[in-house]
Amino acid sequence: MQDFVRIGSYVWPYRRLFVLSVVCAVIVSLFWAMNLSFAFPVVKILFQNDSLHGYVDTEIQTLESSIRVDTARLEEIPAEQVKSRAQIQYRVSEQSRSLLLLTKVRHSFLPYIPRDKFDTMAMILGVLLAATFLKGLFTYFQEMLVGSVVQLTVNSIRQDCFRAALRLDYQSLHRIGTSSLMSRMTNDIEQMTSAIRVFGVTLVREPLKAGACTAMAFYVNWRLTLLAITVVPLMGLIFSLFGKRLRRASHRTMESMARIYECIAETFGSARIVIAFSGFRKHRKQFLKANRDYYTGSMKIVKLGALVRPITEIMGVLAVFAALAPGAYLVLRNTDSILGIKLAAEPMGIAELATIYALLAGTMDPVRKLSGIFEQVKRGMAGSERVFDLIDEASIVPEPKSPRMMIRHSSMISMQDVSFRYEGTEAEGNQRPLALKGVSLDVRFGEVIAVVGGNGSGKSTLLSLLPRFMDPGEGRVLIDGVDIRELRTRDLRSQIGFVTQETLLFNDSIFENIRYGNSGASREMVLEAAMQAQAAGFIQQLPDGFETIVGDKGGKLSGGQRQRIALARAILRDPSILILDEATSAVDSQSEEVIHAVLKEFAKNRTVFIISHVLNRTFLDLVTRIVVMDQGRILATGSHDELLDSCAAYRALNQSQLRMRDAA
Ligand code: ADP
Ligand code: MG
């Protein structure tokens, strides 16, 4: 229900188009009921051998005589019997009104109607044809209008979806996963689209059609129509029972569709490994399972959907029978009541019965169509739940309500007693060990800090706190005395240059990749940054130079080349804080030494953090202080020589470095 309101708010800007489509639907439904009401004159002519002229004449005669009788009776009734006089007077006035109408029809309409019965019939058929044509035209208009509203609506929902995902923090994005995002923005929205479309077209038009027919049937004989309608609550019950199951099944199929996306992305995203390790079987099995899950879920939906249709049809026939059987009794026995219950104002004619039948059948057809789209609507509702869940997903790295002004960092970065725990999955009981345990570190502006330690000791986690990829569970991070949670993330990140472990490039030119994050940079600035990152040399050797397209995720370049481009990107941003997380791990050692030398110059007037495993001379020359981490704690900080003296872990690290260098 809430989702309906949500979708409604998206439709709201296009309400005029929508209202217009509803108007078209109303016109269609009127034509529908009118066409079916033609059963009345058709039966009159074909079976009772009446012509319209004859019918109107007899009606007028009956009315006139009954008015005459009533007026005569009125004169006999004494003036004191106010109530019965009023009754008769009311009846007379009603009859006079009908008389007036019929007389009008006789004078202004009947002259155009042929007297011959076959000609009349032919004319009725002609009108029927014209009405059907007009009905078709308005059906077309309605669907066109709804179609454009739906496309516009869905476009803005998809746009919002993408925007919402962009606003999310890194961890939440990681948890939801690219494949799930993709399936929500494609498959689930697609389900939603078709549901909104049938909603706008069928769910508006068909009930109107059914309503018009029912109203008409009520007009012909309300008692019999009422009998037919008793089936409706029963139908509602069945629909709601099926609805719940359908929704659950739809959710499950959408989740398995997301798994199919995931499987495709994972398999072909790591095609090189899959081929090298011949992992085909494993992935085929995974895909088979995801595919089978999808099949099972879909079959459940198909089964439920297939059941709904015949059931509604049976109920529909029951409803028609509920009116038709007593109706036929009335006609064939030529009476107006069954078992003393009055069912018709006067003995029914076969034409009335035929009309009621046509109108009730005309009611059932929309109901049948509605049951057909039921499954689609339920699928769409499940889809919209998933889509709106994404749109509503709150970032766990919230923006401050009243952000502080940020001036360029110039004095101190301090981490005060920070602890951090990665969110676990539910299977793990949401409990992972702490990745950081009460870490405190003060860094003066201008320092170059090396962070060293074994794999998984928490180095990357620690430095991810600075650009607020995530917030610490406990403790706080201050830049120049301001808690970074009080800064606008945009301002904060504009000061930070970040080169991550896995260097990610976009499928664009090298030039644009370097310029990413500083779109105003000139060609000279880009070239300068590329030179500093030791990238200019190899770039200029490429046939297209800076215009070389790097391929998906930079796949056309080697790992070291990618890292140098990423470094140039960070340098070009002119950050006050530079974070390099194993940024040169794939660069050859010669270039790495040059990069270290260049960074020494670049590091002036900035604070730099470098995570590295290589403790060579140029690197030690660059850094001012080394932080040794182990199991989420800082073991020691100090210069190379101090740490060699005081820290056993650092000594061990250095030993293994030396051994490696010797081996090389
Ligand atoms: P380092 O960079 O020192 O190798 P990390 O900071 O990447 O280590 O990781 C520290 C710990 O946190 C490790 O035990 C690792 O398993 C865990 N960890 C890292 N990233 C995630 C993540 N995205 N989700 C869950 N746990 C993580
Ligand atoms: Mg790391």
PDB file of all heavy atoms in Angstrom, residues 248-262:
ATOM      1  N   ARG A 248       5.239 -13.658  -2.191  1.00  0.00           N
ATOM      2  CA  ARG A 248       6.404 -14.329  -1.607  1.00  0.00           C
ATOM      3  C   ARG A 248       7.220 -15.007  -2.702  1.00  0.00           C
ATOM      4  O   ARG A 248       8.433 -14.891  -2.761  1.00  0.00           O
ATOM      5  CB  ARG A 248       5.935 -15.346  -0.561  1.00  0.00           C
ATOM      6  CG  ARG A 248       6.628 -15.130   0.761  1.00  0.00           C
ATOM      7  CD  ARG A 248       6.070 -16.054   1.820  1.00  0.00           C
ATOM      8  NE  ARG A 248       4.674 -15.788   2.115  1.00  0.00           N
ATOM      9  CZ  ARG A 248       3.764 -16.750   2.326  1.00  0.00           C
ATOM     10  NH1 ARG A 248       4.097 -18.025   2.235  1.00  0.00           N
ATOM     11  NH2 ARG A 248       2.522 -16.427   2.617  1.00  0.00           N
ATOM     12  N   ALA A 249       6.507 -15.700  -3.588  1.00  0.00           N
ATOM     13  CA  ALA A 249       7.210 -16.403  -4.668  1.00  0.00           C
ATOM     14  C   ALA A 249       7.948 -15.407  -5.560  1.00  0.00           C
ATOM     15  O   ALA A 249       9.068 -15.663  -5.996  1.00  0.00           O
ATOM     16  CB  ALA A 249       6.227 -17.221  -5.487  1.00  0.00           C
ATOM     17  N   SER A 250       7.334 -14.245  -5.798  1.00  0.00           N
ATOM     18  CA  SER A 250       7.980 -13.250  -6.656  1.00  0.00           C
ATOM     19  C   SER A 250       9.272 -12.749  -6.031  1.00  0.00           C
ATOM     20  O   SER A 250      10.278 -12.587  -6.702  1.00  0.00           O
ATOM     21  CB  SER A 250       7.059 -12.064  -6.882  1.00  0.00           C
ATOM     22  OG  SER A 250       5.846 -12.486  -7.397  1.00  0.00           O
ATOM     23  N   HIS A 251       9.222 -12.506  -4.720  1.00  0.00           N
ATOM     24  CA  HIS A 251      10.432 -12.077  -4.027  1.00  0.00           C
ATOM     25  C   HIS A 251      11.548 -13.076  -4.241  1.00  0.00           C
ATOM     26  O   HIS A 251      12.686 -12.728  -4.537  1.00  0.00           O
ATOM     27  CB  HIS A 251      10.156 -11.952  -2.533  1.00  0.00           C
ATOM     28  CG  HIS A 251       9.966 -10.530  -2.110  1.00  0.00           C
ATOM     29  ND1 HIS A 251      10.986  -9.639  -2.132  1.00  0.00           N
ATOM     30  CD2 HIS A 251       8.876  -9.865  -1.686  1.00  0.00           C
ATOM     31  CE1 HIS A 251      10.526  -8.460  -1.722  1.00  0.00           C
ATOM     32  NE2 HIS A 251       9.246  -8.581  -1.464  1.00  0.00           N
ATOM     33  N   ARG A 252      11.188 -14.340  -4.088  1.00  0.00           N
ATOM     34  CA  ARG A 252      12.215 -15.370  -4.194  1.00  0.00           C
ATOM     35  C   ARG A 252      12.805 -15.409  -5.608  1.00  0.00           C
ATOM     36  O   ARG A 252      14.007 -15.517  -5.772  1.00  0.00           O
ATOM     37  CB  ARG A 252      11.633 -16.723  -3.797  1.00  0.00           C
ATOM     38  CG  ARG A 252      12.589 -17.450  -2.876  1.00  0.00           C
ATOM     39  CD  ARG A 252      11.917 -18.612  -2.178  1.00  0.00           C
ATOM     40  NE  ARG A 252      10.818 -18.185  -1.327  1.00  0.00           N
ATOM     41  CZ  ARG A 252       9.674 -18.850  -1.213  1.00  0.00           C
ATOM     42  NH1 ARG A 252       9.456 -19.935  -1.919  1.00  0.00           N
ATOM     43  NH2 ARG A 252       8.742 -18.414  -0.398  1.00  0.00           N
ATOM     44  N   THR A 253      11.950 -15.288  -6.627  1.00  0.00           N
ATOM     45  CA  THR A 253      12.518 -15.351  -7.984  1.00  0.00           C
ATOM     46  C   THR A 253      13.423 -14.148  -8.240  1.00  0.00           C
ATOM     47  O   THR A 253      14.434 -14.283  -8.921  1.00  0.00           O
ATOM     48  CB  THR A 253      11.432 -15.339  -9.073  1.00  0.00           C
ATOM     49  OG1 THR A 253      10.582 -14.242  -8.848  1.00  0.00           O
ATOM     50  CG2 THR A 253      10.670 -16.610  -9.110  1.00  0.00           C
ATOM     51  N   MET A 254      13.061 -12.995  -7.670  1.00  0.00           N
ATOM     52  CA  MET A 254      13.916 -11.832  -7.923  1.00  0.00           C
ATOM     53  C   MET A 254      15.263 -12.002  -7.265  1.00  0.00           C
ATOM     54  O   MET A 254      16.292 -11.622  -7.818  1.00  0.00           O
ATOM     55  CB  MET A 254      13.238 -10.583  -7.415  1.00  0.00           C
ATOM     56  CG  MET A 254      12.288 -10.064  -8.456  1.00  0.00           C
ATOM     57  SD  MET A 254      11.302  -8.755  -7.853  1.00  0.00           S
ATOM     58  CE  MET A 254       9.905  -8.987  -8.884  1.00  0.00           C
ATOM     59  N   GLU A 255      15.254 -12.584  -6.064  1.00  0.00           N
ATOM     60  CA  GLU A 255      16.535 -12.834  -5.416  1.00  0.00           C
ATOM     61  C   GLU A 255      17.361 -13.811  -6.239  1.00  0.00           C
ATOM     62  O   GLU A 255      18.571 -13.640  -6.399  1.00  0.00           O
ATOM     63  CB  GLU A 255      16.318 -13.374  -3.999  1.00  0.00           C
ATOM     64  CG  GLU A 255      16.109 -12.242  -3.007  1.00  0.00           C
ATOM     65  CD  GLU A 255      15.295 -12.673  -1.803  1.00  0.00           C
ATOM     66  OE1 GLU A 255      15.288 -13.891  -1.489  1.00  0.00           O
ATOM     67  OE2 GLU A 255      14.663 -11.803  -1.180  1.00  0.00           O
ATOM     68  N   SER A 256      16.703 -14.821  -6.796  1.00  0.00           N
ATOM     69  CA  SER A 256      17.507 -15.766  -7.565  1.00  0.00           C
ATOM     70  C   SER A 256      17.958 -15.150  -8.885  1.00  0.00           C
ATOM     71  O   SER A 256      19.017 -15.500  -9.392  1.00  0.00           O
ATOM     72  CB  SER A 256      16.789 -17.101  -7.777  1.00  0.00           C
ATOM     73  OG  SER A 256      15.489 -16.904  -8.215  1.00  0.00           O
ATOM     74  N   MET A 257      17.176 -14.187  -9.400  1.00  0.00           N
ATOM     75  CA  MET A 257      17.648 -13.477 -10.585  1.00  0.00           C
ATOM     76  C   MET A 257      18.904 -12.687 -10.244  1.00  0.00           C
ATOM     77  O   MET A 257      19.862 -12.658 -11.015  1.00  0.00           O
ATOM     78  CB  MET A 257      16.548 -12.538 -11.095  1.00  0.00           C
ATOM     79  CG  MET A 257      16.861 -11.839 -12.394  1.00  0.00           C
ATOM     80  SD  MET A 257      17.549 -12.887 -13.662  1.00  0.00           S
ATOM     81  CE  MET A 257      16.184 -13.134 -14.738  1.00  0.00           C
ATOM     82  N   ALA A 258      18.925 -12.080  -9.056  1.00  0.00           N
ATOM     83  CA  ALA A 258      20.122 -11.348  -8.628  1.00  0.00           C
ATOM     84  C   ALA A 258      21.309 -12.302  -8.544  1.00  0.00           C
ATOM     85  O   ALA A 258      22.428 -11.947  -8.892  1.00  0.00           O
ATOM     86  CB  ALA A 258      19.880 -10.684  -7.284  1.00  0.00           C
ATOM     87  N   ARG A 259      21.041 -13.538  -8.087  1.00  0.00           N
ATOM     88  CA  ARG A 259      22.143 -14.510  -7.999  1.00  0.00           C
ATOM     89  C   ARG A 259      22.646 -14.883  -9.388  1.00  0.00           C
ATOM     90  O   ARG A 259      23.830 -15.119  -9.583  1.00  0.00           O
ATOM     91  CB  ARG A 259      21.702 -15.753  -7.230  1.00  0.00           C
ATOM     92  CG  ARG A 259      22.001 -15.634  -5.740  1.00  0.00           C
ATOM     93  CD  ARG A 259      22.033 -16.985  -5.084  1.00  0.00           C
ATOM     94  NE  ARG A 259      20.761 -17.676  -5.193  1.00  0.00           N
ATOM     95  CZ  ARG A 259      19.697 -17.378  -4.465  1.00  0.00           C
ATOM     96  NH1 ARG A 259      19.754 -16.422  -3.572  1.00  0.00           N
ATOM     97  NH2 ARG A 259      18.567 -18.035  -4.631  1.00  0.00           N
ATOM     98  N   ILE A 260      21.728 -14.943 -10.352  1.00  0.00           N
ATOM     99  CA  ILE A 260      22.154 -15.243 -11.721  1.00  0.00           C
ATOM    100  C   ILE A 260      23.084 -14.131 -12.224  1.00  0.00           C
ATOM    101  O   ILE A 260      24.146 -14.391 -12.776  1.00  0.00           O
ATOM    102  CB  ILE A 260      20.924 -15.392 -12.648  1.00  0.00           C
ATOM    103  CG1 ILE A 260      20.202 -16.704 -12.316  1.00  0.00           C
ATOM    104  CG2 ILE A 260      21.347 -15.387 -14.116  1.00  0.00           C
ATOM    105  CD1 ILE A 260      18.993 -16.977 -13.182  1.00  0.00           C
ATOM    106  N   TYR A 261      22.706 -12.885 -11.969  1.00  0.00           N
ATOM    107  CA  TYR A 261      23.555 -11.747 -12.360  1.00  0.00           C
ATOM    108  C   TYR A 261      24.930 -11.892 -11.713  1.00  0.00           C
ATOM    109  O   TYR A 261      25.955 -11.679 -12.331  1.00  0.00           O
ATOM    110  CB  TYR A 261      22.935 -10.432 -11.874  1.00  0.00           C
ATOM    111  CG  TYR A 261      21.914  -9.812 -12.798  1.00  0.00           C
ATOM    112  CD1 TYR A 261      20.729 -10.456 -13.073  1.00  0.00           C
ATOM    113  CD2 TYR A 261      22.129  -8.574 -13.362  1.00  0.00           C
ATOM    114  CE1 TYR A 261      19.782  -9.874 -13.893  1.00  0.00           C
ATOM    115  CE2 TYR A 261      21.189  -7.986 -14.183  1.00  0.00           C
ATOM    116  CZ  TYR A 261      20.016  -8.642 -14.439  1.00  0.00           C
ATOM    117  OH  TYR A 261      19.080  -8.061 -15.244  1.00  0.00           O
ATOM    118  N   GLU A 262      24.885 -12.235 -10.410  1.00  0.00           N
ATOM    119  CA  GLU A 262      26.117 -12.331  -9.644  1.00  0.00           C
ATOM    120  C   GLU A 262      27.022 -13.384 -10.259  1.00  0.00           C
ATOM    121  O   GLU A 262      28.221 -13.171 -10.435  1.00  0.00           O
ATOM    122  CB  GLU A 262      25.747 -12.726  -8.216  1.00  0.00           C
ATOM    123  CG  GLU A 262      26.824 -12.542  -7.212  1.00  0.00           C
ATOM    124  CD  GLU A 262      26.288 -12.911  -5.830  1.00  0.00           C
ATOM    125  OE1 GLU A 262      25.273 -12.330  -5.422  1.00  0.00           O
ATOM    126  OE2 GLU A 262      26.870 -13.801  -5.205  1.00  0.00           O
TER     127      GLU A 262
END
